[in-house]
Amino acid sequence: MTGRVSGKLILVTAAAAGIGRASALMLAREGARVVATDIDVAGLESLQAEASGTPLRIARLNVLRREAIAAMADQLGRLDALVNCAGFVAAGNVLDCTDDDLDFSFELNVKAMARMIQAFLPAMVQAGQGGSIVNIASVCGSIKGLPNRFAYGASKAAVIGLTKSVACDFIGARIRCNAVCPGTVESPSLHQRIADQARATGKTEGEVMAAISSPASRSAVWLRPTRSPPWSPTWRPTNPPSPPARSM
């Protein structure tokens, strides 16, 4: 490891498993002072054991509760980077989708992310030292549609719109806001979705996995123009946007 983020204070949500866990581990091993959060305390404790010898620490945080987020922001102060990984994958097409499916998908995938940014961005701006926000979106959304992912795809498309809006509004304060759009990722969440879909469709888990792994269902895109990670202190856009034209 090269210590690219050595000493940086970085908060990662949904860090007990999946992308959040891998991100927290990688950043901690690069020397970052990672605050790994989740509602799964047992998962966080196993992460802490795996990250032994690094500056990583854990904290329980429910990103659906604004007051809990505010308390965490008051406790930590300015972050160098915020990594928003919390999310939920609802299965089904538009005819299967219920109001509850839509409400919870947008509550966790979009509104919780907005709450985190609203809580931690002001200290980044006030300090005048810049900062980085990384949002986990998905290839499923505005990049492409995937079968039986109506509510999920709609919410992840909103994440991309949210990311672009924050990036545009705060580039003058040296705040970088980027979205990562992964395809299917090996994780406990994936295995649970495969088992659920197999039960619902009468297929075997192997058949479900084969459908997910088909070339038509695979893709991954990084929405950023450089090779260095967006939380790196050396990251700069290769083609900074020109100021928008003003109309009178």
Side-chain angles (χ1 to χ4, degrees), residues 68-87:
I69 296 171
M72 181 70 70
D74 287 342
Q75 175 187 342
L76 295 177
R78 177 190 173 268
L79 300 176
D80 291 291
L82 169 65
V83 185
N84 285 311
C85 295

Side-chain angles (χ1 to χ4, degrees), residues 11 35 37 59-61 67-77 120:
L11 186 148
V35 181
T37 70
R60 188 184 189 281
L61 177 64
E67 65 275 16
I69 296 171
M72 181 70 70
D74 287 342
Q75 175 187 342
L76 295 177
F120 287 96

Side-chain angles (χ1 to χ4, degrees), residues 89-98 101 146-153 197:
V89 181
N93 60 35
V94 66
L95 299 180
D96 303 323
C97 185
T98 66
D101 291 332
L146 294 180
N148 295 310
R149 289 292 181 267
F150 170 71
Y152 178 73
Q197 189 170 336

Side-chain angles (χ1 to χ4, degrees), residues 12-18 20-26 28-29 34-38 40-54 56-59:
V12 182
T13 66
R21 186 185 184 101
S23 298
L25 277 172
M26 183 273 291
R29 289 168 177 167
V34 173
V35 181
T37 70
D38 206 301
D40 178 3
V41 175
L44 287 176
E45 289 173 346
S46 71
L47 168 64
Q48 190 172 42
E50 187 175 356
S52 177
T54 74
L56 180 142
R57 55 185 163 128
I58 61 174

Side-chain angles (χ1 to χ4, degrees), residues 39-197:
I39 57 172
D40 178 3
V41 175
L44 287 176
E45 289 173 346
S46 71
L47 168 64
Q48 190 172 42
E50 187 175 356
S52 177
T54 74
L56 180 142
R57 55 185 163 128
I58 61 174
R60 188 184 189 281
L61 177 64
N62 185 343
V63 295
L64 297 177
R65 296 182 56 191
R66 185 179 290 275
E67 65 275 16
I69 296 171
M72 181 70 70
D74 287 342
Q75 175 187 342
L76 295 177
R78 177 190 173 268
L79 300 176
D80 291 291
L82 169 65
V83 185
N84 285 311
C85 295
F88 169 72
V89 181
N93 60 35
V94 66
L95 299 180
D96 303 323
C97 185
T98 66
D99 283 350
D100 287 344
D101 291 332
L102 272 176
D103 288 345
F104 188 70
S105 294
F106 276 82
E107 187 70 25
L108 183 55
N109 296 353
V110 185
K111 291 173 68 176
M113 192 176 288
R115 291 187 197 104
M116 291 293 294
I117 295 171
Q118 287 168 341
F120 287 96
L121 178 58
M124 289 184 180
V125 173
Q126 185 176 9
Q129 300 173 35
S132 179
I133 299 168
V134 179
N135 299 323
I136 302 301
S138 175
V139 71
C140 176
S142 64
I143 305 297
K144 67 180 295 186
L146 294 180
N148 295 310
R149 289 292 181 267
F150 170 71
Y152 178 73
S155 67
K156 288 299 186 177
V159 168
I160 293 177
L162 177 157
T163 301
K164 290 179 177 180
S165 179
V166 173
C168 179
D169 286 337
F170 292 94
I171 189 171
R174 297 171 57 209
I175 305 298
R176 306 179 303 281
C177 189
N178 290 270
V180 178
C181 298
T184 303
V185 175
E186 177 78 20
S187 68
S189 172
L190 172 64
H191 289 290
Q192 184 61 55
R193 295 198 303 273
I194 290 172
D196 291 345
Q197 189 170 336

